[in-house]
Amino acid sequence: MSRPRIVIVGAGFAGYRTARTLSRLTRHQADITLLNPTDYFLYLPLLPQVAAGILEPRRVTVSLSGSLPRVRLVLGEADGIDLDAHTVRYTGPEGGEGTLPFDRLVLAAGSVNKLLPIPGVAEHAHGFRGLPEALYLRDHVTRQVELAAAARDREECAARCTFVVVGAGYTGTEVAAHGAMYTDAQVRRHPMRTGMRPRWMLLDVAPRVLPEMDERLSVTADRVLRQRGVDVRMGTSVKEATHDGVVLTDGTTVGTRTLVWCVGVRPDPLVESLGLPMESGRLLVDPHLQVPGRPELFACGDVAAVPDLTRPGEFTPMTAQHAWRHGKVCAQNVAASLGIGERRPYRHRDLGFVVDLGGAKAAANPLGLPMSGPAAGAVTRGYHLAAMPGNRVRVAADWVLDAVLPRQAVQLGLVRSWSVPLESASPEVARVPGRPEQRDGDAVPAGGPAGAPGGDTPDQRPDPPGGEPAKQQPGGEAAKNQPGGESAKQQSGGEPAKNQSGGEPARNQPGGEPAKNQPGGESAKQQPGGEPAKNQPGGEPAKNQSQAPRATGKPRLPGKSGRPGKARKPTRAAGASRSAGPGADPGPEPPENQPAPGPDIAPGPVKRTDGRTAEGDS
């Protein structure tokens, strides 16, 4: 008799805990498969410390294959679920498709960025939910401070050293608190010529910081932020974003090159395709985390609307604390459905929350006891060490080193701005050049009213729609060969621009006909050095010689089944790096005299269409 097959979709807090507990309970009595886009579990609450240079990126990740014995890891993203056939369709990181049969299915896909219809935000803001976004933000903030220090114009200096964070929830508050400390340390070592100092702004339409937490935590966090010089503006949000700054809802215009979007999250849209009862985008389950009428289907974490037995009539909030405990109960109930142990309902009371504000400052209320100052800082870091499923020694070592040594304020350039677009539904993976991200006809849904109060919920991270690219963005008016090309007049699902993913590929984009002055195409006579010599290595360049382009970048044909509102991972382009990760937007083209980026070469600067050279990824 074959062993039962258990498939777990997602390796966030809920999915990882489910897989780990099931591995211990079943002990070779079931085949457990974990489907996830990355090979690591990400401890999201410490992501702001990665952006601030306190922790190295691998400190907040835990290897799935190394920490989950007797669990088979499949890298890929679920595209659709056939409950009648008991199969899950997925696309791998290199574009290959496959199916996973199951006898028991656990949906723990988590949440994705929330989309808000605010003009210019999709083009000029970046979210903060995945590791690539944290790495990009650290490089970007470092670069802006360095450029501001070298600027002679006071207006340019002020714009570059102004950083706007939207969303005063758990994530946005920590990003602003840690970011202010990071930039102040940079300026102390390298003062600016104009005598100016970095300025951080925290915006939210809610009446107070951390609106969904205890008011005493809110007061503590607000006080610490203002002591560090953070401009906290409650009841205010962004009305429009441009390359040169943002227009606030109160009519104020703020010059800035940095807009961090921490407004909130929404459940993964994968569950919407099931056609089962939903509650605010979440799949309705019973107290045993089982979908009514579907004994083979379980759901937990952010995609599940779990009844809160301690507060009848309500559902547990989308927090990491609940997701982690959902996973344990879900694993026990899945095992019980196979005859191992007994079922139990999910019942949990909040143990309190902790907010790390950087240095020795924090706000915490363990077991309902409000704390602040160094005592709260010790409790906060102790809680994180206890909650992390690995890397505790390395994290503690980084904290000790940060306390005694100055931080290394350097920009590595490993993640470029086009690799982490705000509209991405998969922030856990960075986009790479050579592959379109979105299929023809896929629409990007909007996710709620503009300026939803409260920012994100605790332990969660943020995504808005596309408007018409502002003419002030890098390169002046949106160039038709830039990622995304001409916007389709702010219409989701409208006629795609000819150089967008799903449309006719641009001739100088990866996947289109190679431009005559691009590598792999006809040698351009306007290249530096004039017409190439006939005795150069490789012989005389045949002007009509047929050469294959480096990357096909062929969009996936419409009509393939896919998850709603989420881009399907396309086939890996020929010549793309195997270690580059899952597919993404083509991104900016490299300079004419520079080869396409390889696995060990960071993409070169974007060539502007107005003849100016781009300064970084601002």
Side-chain angles (χ1 to χ4, degrees), residues 49 69 84 164 175 246 274 364 429 466 486 508 520 528 606-607 612:
Q49 297 193 27
D84 296 328
V164 179
V175 168
V246 294
L274 299 178
V429 291
E486 278 185 316
N508 57 349
V606 179
K607 184 176 181 180
R612 295 187 292 124

Side-chain angles (χ1 to χ4, degrees), residues 375-418:
V379 169
T380 298
R381 297 202 169 183
Y383 168 80
H384 287 316
L385 286 180
M388 288 193 68
N391 289 346
R392 295 185 180 95
V393 175
R394 290 185 173 93
V395 168
D398 276 2
W399 283 342
V400 172
L401 292 175
D402 180 69
V404 298
L405 298 175
R407 298 180 198 173
Q408 294 178 296
V410 295
Q411 46 172 319
L412 302 178
L414 300 178
V415 181
R416 308 302 290 256
S417 61
W418 46 264

Side-chain angles (χ1 to χ4, degrees), residues 62-154:
V62 177
S63 169
L64 297 178
S65 57
S67 60
L68 296 176
R70 300 178 292 277
V71 175
R72 174 194 172 207
L73 173 63
V74 175
L75 291 178
E77 190 168 3
D79 295 318
I81 298 171
D82 191 334
L83 294 177
D84 296 328
H86 283 208
T87 57
V88 177
R89 298 188 308 274
Y90 72 92
T91 303
E94 295 183 351
E97 297 181 345
T99 59
L100 296 173
F102 64 84
D103 298 306
R104 299 290 186 274
L105 176 63
V106 179
L107 289 179
S111 53
V112 298
N113 293 323
K114 180 181 290 186
L115 311 180
L116 299 180
I118 300 178
V121 167
E123 293 80 18
H124 304 289
H126 289 278
F128 196 84
R129 182 166 173 76
L131 197 56
E133 293 172 321
L135 292 175
Y136 167 74
L137 182 61
R138 183 168 69 179
D139 275 4
H140 175 78
V141 170
T142 304
R143 177 167 53 253
Q144 295 308 311
V145 173
E146 292 171 348
L147 292 174
R152 297 182 180 275
D153 181 66
R154 289 186 62 86

Side-chain angles (χ1 to χ4, degrees), residues 265-332:
V265 295
R266 61 189 177 97
D268 194 298
L270 173 66
V271 297
E272 298 176 1
S273 63
L274 299 178
L276 297 174
M278 309 284 291
E279 174 64 34
S280 301
R282 303 160 73 186
L283 193 61
L284 274 174
V285 298
D286 61 22
H288 299 92
L289 307 179
Q290 195 168 21
V291 177
R294 288 287 182 176
E296 77 282 5
L297 181 59
F298 295 79
C300 55
D302 290 349
V303 298
V306 182
D308 191 342
L309 299 182
T310 64
R311 293 181 295 179
E314 299 185 22
F315 298 95
T316 59
M318 296 168 59
T319 67
Q321 186 179 122
H322 279 289
W324 185 251
R325 289 159 178 81
H326 284 176
K328 181 179 180 180
V329 174
C330 184
Q332 292 172 337

Side-chain angles (χ1 to χ4, degrees), residues 428-449:
E428 63 271 13
V429 291
R431 294 188 179 186
V432 295
R435 285 179 288 171
E437 176 71 14
Q438 199 165 324
R439 297 183 293 114
D440 186 16
D442 279 347
V444 181

